[in-house]
Amino acid sequence: LAKTTQPISMDSYEGQEVNITCSHNNIATNDYITWYQQFPSQGPRFIIQGYKTKVTNEVASLFIPADRKSSTLSLPRVSLSDTAVYYCLVGDMAINNAGNMLTFGGGTRLMVKP
Amino acid sequence: NAGVTQTPKFQVLKTGQSMTLQCAQDMNHNSMYWYRQDPGMGLRLIYYSASEGTTDKGEVPNGYNVSRLNKREFSLRLESAAPSQTSVYFCASSGRDGEGNEKLFFGSGTQLSVL
């Protein structure tokens, strides 16, 4: 199992770019890196997923260095509504390896201030 | 297409009572999971199921049993509830979305209080 380590909390201001880094030193060859966002009283929601290099979608970018031992979630121009807990999940998500033991770390609590 | 549906949304039990949390998904996913989340903490995996008829222990299985009744349904049972099991319980299934991402789809959770 690839254990993940993230900062416990971060503060930012509206309009700033926020970068949250996750360490996963023992990531396996078949593991993907997936980030989730969780608001209070809700289940986690998918943000972005990647295997290597850079991935970008309409809400975030994910940077993964060549050794894949860490990853950085980048949120451009955050707003108050981005205040949430962000989780990095590392695991083999392939359909043909269904049912892997997918475990979450403690997450990063992001507070966006006006 | 409802996704992952959990029932009930709220439940209060007395110590020693039993109950079953229900979870169903309509996305034809093979894998399903049960997590618990204590206040201010991250999610911890209780049990998971790779396919109908198979279940495996997660990080914190003690005090729980599960049943993968069919491909759609994965239930979590507390045989003798304890105050330490007060938590929010999330069910999830894993599969591919329309953009090719393999991801977890979560239900809305069951808030359980054991007095």
Coordinates of all heavy atoms in Angstrom, one line a residue, chain A residues 34 36 38 41-46 48-50 57-58 87 89 93-95 97-107 109, chain B residues 30-31 33 35 37 40-43 45 48-50 56-59 90 94 96-97 99-104 106-108 111:
Chain A
T34 N -4.9 10.1 -7.5 CA -6.2 10.7 -7.6 C -6.4 11.7 -6.5 O -6.1 11.4 -5.3 CB -7.3 9.7 -7.6 OG1 -7.0 8.6 -8.5 CG2 -8.6 10.3 -8.0
Y36 N -9.2 14.1 -4.3 CA -10.6 14.2 -4.0 C -10.8 15.5 -3.1 O -9.9 15.9 -2.4 CB -11.2 13.0 -3.3 CG -11.3 11.8 -4.1 CD1 -10.2 11.0 -4.3 CD2 -12.4 11.4 -4.8 CE1 -10.2 9.8 -5.1 CE2 -12.5 10.3 -5.5 CZ -11.4 9.5 -5.7 OH -11.5 8.4 -6.5
Q38 N -13.5 17.2 -0.3 CA -14.7 16.9 0.6 C -15.1 18.1 1.3 O -14.3 18.7 2.0 CB -14.3 15.8 1.5 CG -15.5 15.3 2.4 CD -15.2 14.2 3.4 OE1 -14.1 14.1 3.9 NE2 -16.2 13.4 3.7
S41 N -20.1 17.1 5.8 CA -21.3 16.3 5.7 C -21.6 15.8 4.3 O -22.7 15.4 3.9 CB -22.5 17.1 6.1 OG -22.4 17.6 7.4
Q42 N -20.5 15.7 3.4 CA -20.7 15.1 2.1 C -19.6 14.1 1.9 O -18.5 14.1 2.5 CB -20.6 16.2 1.0 CG -21.7 17.2 1.1 CD -21.6 18.2 -0.1 OE1 -20.9 17.9 -1.1 NE2 -22.2 19.4 0.1
G43 N -19.8 13.2 0.9 CA -18.8 12.3 0.5 C -17.8 13.0 -0.3 O -18.0 14.0 -1.0
P44 N -16.6 12.4 -0.4 CA -15.5 13.0 -1.3 C -15.9 13.0 -2.7 O -16.7 12.2 -3.2 CB -14.3 12.1 -1.0 CG -14.5 11.5 0.3 CD -16.0 11.3 0.4
R45 N -15.4 14.1 -3.4 CA -15.8 14.2 -4.8 C -14.5 14.3 -5.6 O -13.5 14.9 -5.3 CB -16.5 15.5 -5.0 CG -17.0 15.8 -6.4 CD -17.9 17.1 -6.4 NE -17.0 18.3 -6.2 CZ -17.5 19.5 -6.3 NH1 -18.8 19.7 -6.6 NH2 -16.7 20.6 -6.1
F46 N -14.4 13.6 -6.7 CA -13.3 13.5 -7.6 C -12.9 14.8 -8.2 O -13.8 15.6 -8.6 CB -13.6 12.5 -8.8 CG -12.6 12.4 -9.8 CD1 -11.5 11.5 -9.8 CD2 -12.6 13.3 -11.0 CE1 -10.6 11.4 -10.8 CE2 -11.7 13.2 -12.0 CZ -10.7 12.3 -11.9
I48 N -9.3 15.2 -9.9 CA -8.4 15.0 -11.0 C -7.6 13.7 -10.7 O -7.4 13.3 -9.6 CB -7.4 16.2 -11.2 CG1 -6.7 16.2 -12.5 CG2 -6.4 16.3 -10.0 CD1 -6.1 17.6 -12.9
Q49 N -7.1 13.1 -11.8 CA -6.3 11.9 -11.7 C -5.2 11.9 -12.7 O -5.3 12.5 -13.8 CB -7.2 10.7 -12.0 CG -6.5 9.3 -11.9 CD -7.5 8.2 -12.1 OE1 -7.9 7.9 -13.2 NE2 -8.0 7.7 -11.0
G50 N -4.0 11.3 -12.3 CA -2.9 11.3 -13.3 C -2.0 10.1 -13.0 O -2.1 9.5 -11.9
N57 N -7.5 19.8 -16.0 CA -8.9 19.8 -16.4 C -9.5 21.2 -16.1 O -8.8 22.2 -15.8 CB -9.7 18.7 -15.7 CG -9.7 18.8 -14.2 OD1 -9.5 19.8 -13.6 ND2 -10.0 17.6 -13.6
E58 N -10.8 21.3 -16.1 CA -11.4 22.6 -15.9 C -11.3 23.2 -14.5 O -11.5 24.4 -14.3 CB -12.9 22.6 -16.3 CG -13.8 21.7 -15.5 CD -13.7 20.2 -15.9 OE1 -12.9 19.8 -16.7 OE2 -14.5 19.4 -15.3
Y87 N -7.9 15.3 -0.4 CA -7.3 14.1 -0.2 C -6.5 13.6 -1.4 O -7.0 13.7 -2.5 CB -8.3 13.0 0.2 CG -9.0 13.2 1.5 CD1 -10.2 13.8 1.5 CD2 -8.4 12.8 2.7 CE1 -10.9 14.0 2.7 CE2 -9.1 12.9 3.9 CZ -10.3 13.5 3.9 OH -11.0 13.7 5.1
L89 N -5.1 10.2 -3.1 CA -5.3 8.8 -3.0 C -4.4 8.1 -4.0 O -4.5 8.5 -5.2 CB -6.8 8.4 -3.2 CG -7.1 6.9 -3.2 CD1 -7.0 6.4 -1.9 CD2 -8.6 6.8 -3.7
M93 N -6.1 1.5 -9.8 CA -7.5 1.7 -10.1 C -8.0 0.9 -11.3 O -9.1 1.1 -11.8 CB -7.8 3.2 -10.3 CG -7.5 4.0 -9.1 SD -8.5 3.7 -7.7 CE -10.2 4.1 -8.3
A94 N -7.1 0.1 -11.9 CA -7.5 -0.6 -13.2 C -8.7 -1.5 -12.9 O -8.8 -2.2 -11.9 CB -6.3 -1.3 -13.7
I95 N -9.6 -1.5 -13.9 CA -10.8 -2.3 -13.8 C -10.4 -3.8 -13.6 O -11.0 -4.5 -12.8 CB -11.6 -2.2 -15.0 CG1 -12.3 -0.8 -15.0 CG2 -12.7 -3.3 -15.1 CD1 -13.2 -0.5 -16.2
N97 N -8.1 -5.0 -12.0 CA -7.5 -5.2 -10.7 C -8.5 -4.7 -9.6 O -8.2 -4.1 -8.6 CB -6.2 -4.5 -10.5 CG -5.1 -5.2 -11.2 OD1 -5.1 -6.4 -11.3 ND2 -4.2 -4.5 -11.8
A98 N -9.8 -4.9 -9.9 CA -10.8 -4.3 -9.1 C -10.7 -4.8 -7.7 O -10.3 -5.9 -7.4 CB -12.2 -4.7 -9.7
G99 N -11.1 -3.9 -6.8 CA -11.2 -4.3 -5.4 C -9.9 -4.2 -4.6 O -9.7 -4.8 -3.6
N100 N -9.1 -3.3 -5.1 CA -7.9 -3.0 -4.3 C -8.2 -2.2 -3.1 O -9.2 -1.5 -3.0 CB -6.9 -2.2 -5.2 CG -6.2 -3.0 -6.2 OD1 -5.4 -3.9 -5.9 ND2 -6.6 -2.8 -7.4
M101 N -7.3 -2.4 -2.1 CA -7.6 -1.8 -0.8 C -7.2 -0.3 -0.9 O -6.1 0.1 -0.6 CB -6.7 -2.5 0.3 CG -7.0 -2.1 1.7 SD -6.2 -3.3 2.8 CE -6.2 -2.3 4.3
L102 N -8.2 0.5 -1.2 CA -7.9 1.9 -1.4 C -8.1 2.7 -0.1 O -9.2 2.8 0.4 CB -8.9 2.5 -2.5 CG -8.8 1.8 -3.8 CD1 -9.9 2.3 -4.8 CD2 -7.4 2.0 -4.4
T103 N -7.0 3.2 0.4 CA -7.0 3.9 1.7 C -6.6 5.3 1.6 O -5.7 5.7 0.8 CB -6.1 3.2 2.7 OG1 -4.7 3.2 2.2 CG2 -6.5 1.7 3.0
F104 N -7.3 6.2 2.4 CA -7.0 7.6 2.3 C -6.1 8.0 3.5 O -6.1 7.4 4.5 CB -8.3 8.4 2.5 CG -9.2 8.4 1.3 CD1 -10.0 7.3 1.1 CD2 -9.3 9.4 0.5 CE1 -10.9 7.2 0.0 CE2 -10.1 9.4 -0.6 CZ -10.9 8.3 -0.9
G105 N -5.3 9.0 3.2 CA -4.5 9.6 4.3 C -5.4 10.6 5.1 O -6.6 10.6 4.9
G106 N -4.8 11.5 5.8 CA -5.5 12.4 6.6 C -6.1 13.6 5.9 O -6.9 14.3 6.4
G107 N -5.6 13.9 4.7 CA -6.1 15.0 3.9 C -5.5 16.4 4.4 O -4.8 16.5 5.4
R109 N -6.6 20.3 5.0 CA -7.8 21.2 5.2 C -7.4 22.6 4.7 O -6.5 23.3 5.3 CB -8.1 21.3 6.7 CG -9.4 21.9 7.1 CD -9.7 21.6 8.6 NE -9.8 20.2 8.9 CZ -10.8 19.5 8.9 NH1 -12.0 20.0 8.5 NH2 -10.8 18.2 9.2
Chain B
N30 N -17.9 -3.3 -10.3 CA -17.5 -4.5 -9.7 C -17.2 -4.3 -8.2 O -17.6 -5.0 -7.3 CB -16.3 -5.2 -10.3 CG -16.7 -5.8 -11.7 OD1 -17.8 -6.4 -11.8 ND2 -15.9 -5.7 -12.7
S31 N -16.4 -3.2 -7.9 CA -15.9 -3.0 -6.6 C -16.7 -2.0 -5.8 O -17.2 -1.0 -6.3 CB -14.5 -2.4 -6.7 OG -13.6 -3.3 -7.4
Y33 N -17.0 -0.4 -1.5 CA -16.2 -0.1 -0.3 C -17.1 0.5 0.8 O -18.1 1.2 0.5 CB -15.1 0.9 -0.6 CG -14.3 0.6 -1.8 CD1 -14.7 0.8 -3.1 CD2 -13.0 0.0 -1.6 CE1 -13.9 0.4 -4.2 CE2 -12.2 -0.4 -2.7 CZ -12.6 -0.1 -3.9 OH -11.8 -0.5 -5.0
Y35 N -16.4 3.0 4.2 CA -15.5 3.8 5.0 C -16.2 4.4 6.2 O -17.4 4.6 6.1 CB -14.9 4.9 4.1 CG -14.1 4.6 3.0 CD1 -14.6 4.3 1.7 CD2 -12.7 4.5 3.1 CE1 -13.8 4.0 0.7 CE2 -11.8 4.2 2.1 CZ -12.4 3.9 0.8 OH -11.6 3.6 -0.2
Q37 N -15.8 7.8 8.9 CA -15.1 9.0 9.1 C -15.5 9.6 10.4 O -16.7 10.0 10.6 CB -15.4 10.0 8.0 CG -14.6 11.3 8.0 CD -14.7 12.2 6.8 OE1 -15.8 12.3 6.2 NE2 -13.6 12.8 6.4
G40 N -13.6 15.4 12.2 CA -12.3 16.0 12.0 C -11.2 15.1 11.5 O -10.0 15.5 11.4
M41 N -11.5 13.9 11.1 CA -10.5 12.9 10.7 C -10.7 12.5 9.2 O -11.7 12.9 8.6 CB -10.6 11.7 11.6 CG -10.5 11.9 13.0 SD -8.9 12.6 13.5 CE -7.9 11.1 13.4
G42 N -9.8 11.8 8.7 CA -9.9 11.3 7.4 C -10.7 10.0 7.3 O -11.3 9.5 8.3
L43 N -10.9 9.5 6.1 CA -11.7 8.3 5.9 C -10.9 7.0 6.2 O -9.7 6.9 5.8 CB -12.2 8.2 4.5 CG -13.3 9.2 4.1 CD1 -12.6 10.4 3.4 CD2 -14.3 8.6 3.2
L45 N -10.9 2.8 5.8 CA -11.6 1.7 5.1 C -11.9 0.6 6.1 O -11.1 0.0 6.8 CB -10.6 1.2 4.0 CG -11.1 0.0 3.2 CD1 -12.3 0.5 2.3 CD2 -10.0 -0.5 2.2
Y48 N -14.0 -4.0 1.9 CA -14.3 -3.8 0.5 C -14.6 -5.1 -0.1 O -14.4 -6.2 0.4 CB -13.1 -3.1 -0.1 CG -11.8 -3.9 -0.1 CD1 -11.3 -4.5 -1.3 CD2 -11.0 -3.9 1.0 CE1 -10.1 -5.2 -1.3 CE2 -9.8 -4.6 1.0 CZ -9.4 -5.2 -0.2 OH -8.2 -5.9 -0.2
S49 N -15.1 -5.0 -1.4 CA -15.6 -6.1 -2.1 C -15.2 -6.0 -3.6 O -15.6 -5.0 -4.2 CB -17.1 -6.3 -2.0 OG -17.6 -7.3 -2.9
A50 N -14.4 -6.9 -4.1 CA -13.9 -6.8 -5.5 C -15.0 -7.2 -6.4 O -15.0 -6.8 -7.6 CB -12.7 -7.7 -5.7
D56 N -13.3 -8.4 1.6 CA -12.0 -8.4 2.3 C -12.0 -7.3 3.3 O -12.6 -6.3 3.2 CB -10.9 -8.1 1.2 CG -10.6 -9.2 0.3 OD1 -10.0 -10.2 0.8 OD2 -11.0 -9.2 -0.8
K57 N -11.2 -7.6 4.4 CA -11.0 -6.6 5.5 C -10.2 -5.4 5.0 O -9.2 -5.5 4.3 CB -10.4 -7.3 6.7 CG -11.2 -8.4 7.3 CD -10.5 -9.0 8.5 CE -11.4 -10.1 9.1 NZ -10.7 -10.8 10.2
G58 N -10.6 -4.3 5.6 CA -9.8 -3.1 5.4 C -9.0 -2.7 6.6 O -8.5 -3.6 7.2
E59 N -8.8 -1.5 6.9 CA -8.0 -1.0 8.0 C -8.6 -1.2 9.3 O -7.9 -1.5 10.3 CB -7.7 0.5 7.8 CG -7.0 0.9 6.5 CD -7.1 2.4 6.4 OE1 -8.1 3.0 6.0 OE2 -6.0 3.0 6.6
F90 N -19.5 6.0 4.9 CA -19.7 6.3 3.5 C -19.5 5.0 2.8 O -18.5 4.2 3.0 CB -18.6 7.3 3.0 CG -18.9 8.7 3.5 CD1 -18.1 9.2 4.5 CD2 -19.8 9.5 2.8 CE1 -18.3 10.5 4.9 CE2 -20.0 10.8 3.2 CZ -19.3 11.3 4.3
S94 N -16.3 1.8 -7.3 CA -15.2 2.3 -8.2 C -15.5 1.8 -9.6 O -15.9 0.7 -9.9 CB -13.8 1.9 -7.7 OG -13.7 0.5 -7.8
R96 N -15.1 3.5 -14.0 CA -14.6 4.5 -15.0 C -15.7 5.6 -15.3 O -16.8 5.2 -15.5 CB -14.1 3.9 -16.2 CG -13.5 4.8 -17.3 CD -12.8 3.9 -18.4 NE -11.7 3.2 -17.8 CZ -11.0 2.3 -18.6 NH1 -11.3 2.1 -19.8 NH2 -9.9 1.7 -18.1
D97 N -15.3 6.8 -15.3 CA -16.2 7.9 -15.7 C -16.2 8.1 -17.2 O -15.4 7.4 -17.9 CB -16.0 9.2 -14.9 CG -14.7 9.9 -15.3 OD1 -14.0 9.5 -16.3 OD2 -14.3 10.8 -14.5
E99 N -14.8 10.2 -18.9 CA -13.5 10.7 -19.5 C -12.4 9.8 -19.3 O -11.2 10.1 -19.4 CB -13.2 12.1 -18.8 CG -14.3 13.1 -19.1 CD -14.0 14.5 -18.5 OE1 -13.1 14.5 -17.7 OE2 -14.7 15.4 -18.8
G100 N -12.7 8.6 -18.9 CA -11.6 7.5 -18.7 C -10.9 7.5 -17.4 O -10.0 6.7 -17.2
N101 N -11.4 8.3 -16.4 CA -10.8 8.3 -15.1 C -11.4 7.1 -14.3 O -12.6 7.0 -14.3 CB -11.0 9.6 -14.4 CG -10.4 10.8 -15.0 OD1 -9.2 10.8 -15.2 ND2 -11.3 11.7 -15.4
E102 N -10.5 6.4 -13.7 CA -11.0 5.3 -12.7 C -11.1 6.0 -11.4 O -10.1 6.5 -10.8 CB -9.9 4.2 -12.7 CG -9.8 3.4 -13.9 CD -11.0 2.5 -14.2 OE1 -11.7 2.2 -13.2 OE2 -11.1 2.0 -15.3
K103 N -12.3 6.0 -10.8 CA -12.4 6.7 -9.6 C -13.5 6.1 -8.7 O -14.2 5.2 -9.1 CB -12.8 8.2 -9.9 CG -14.2 8.3 -10.5 CD -14.4 9.8 -11.0 CE -15.8 10.1 -11.3 NZ -16.0 11.4 -11.8
L104 N -13.5 6.6 -7.4 CA -14.5 6.2 -6.5 C -15.7 7.2 -6.5 O -15.5 8.4 -6.6 CB -13.9 6.3 -5.0 CG -12.8 5.3 -4.7 CD1 -12.1 5.7 -3.5 CD2 -13.5 3.9 -4.5
F106 N -19.0 8.1 -4.4 CA -19.4 8.0 -3.0 C -20.9 8.3 -2.8 O -21.5 9.1 -3.6 CB -18.7 9.0 -2.1 CG -17.3 8.6 -1.8 CD1 -16.2 8.9 -2.6 CD2 -17.0 7.9 -0.6 CE1 -14.9 8.5 -2.3 CE2 -15.7 7.5 -0.3 CZ -14.7 7.8 -1.1
G107 N -21.5 7.6 -1.8 CA -22.8 7.9 -1.4 C -22.8 9.2 -0.5 O -21.7 9.7 -0.2
S108 N -24.0 9.5 0.0 CA -24.1 10.8 0.8 C -23.8 10.5 2.2 O -23.8 11.5 3.0 CB -25.5 11.4 0.6 OG -26.4 10.4 0.9
Q111 N -25.1 9.1 9.1 CA -24.5 9.6 10.3 C -25.1 8.7 11.4 O -26.3 8.7 11.7 CB -25.0 11.0 10.5 CG -24.3 11.7 11.7 CD -24.4 13.2 11.7 OE1 -24.4 13.8 10.6 NE2 -24.6 13.8 12.8

